[in-house]
Amino acid sequence: YDPHDLIRRLPTVLETLRELQRDGHVVYVHCCEGVNRSPSVVLAYLVRVEGMDVDAALAHQRAVDPIGRPYDEFVAHLRQL
């Protein structure tokens, strides 16, 4: 539940997701509650790997998962990149 720890681990998480996708796996990203952590990771994937703009990725994520609320610190981090 620590957004700063998630930011620190982000490069490893994204690399793992890239490898799984490259190897043809379907990936389901979820955490215990599915509210902050997993939506934050998916948002980062859309921005960093798929190349989406942060606002477009947020809009897409909200359309698909209206309950998900990526951490504010995480969104700010993605905007800085």
Side-chain angles (χ1 to χ4, degrees), residues 27-67:
V27 179
Y28 180 73
V29 178
H30 203 284
C31 58
C32 292
E33 296 177 21
V35 176
N36 301 112
R37 288 169 293 170
S38 56
S40 293
V41 168
V42 170
L43 180 67
Y45 184 86
L46 292 173
V47 171
R48 300 285 305 271
V49 177
E50 297 293 326
M52 291 180 78
D53 173 76
V54 173
D55 292 321
L58 278 168
H60 175 72
Q61 183 173 5
R62 287 183 183 131
V64 173
D65 178 16
I67 294 172

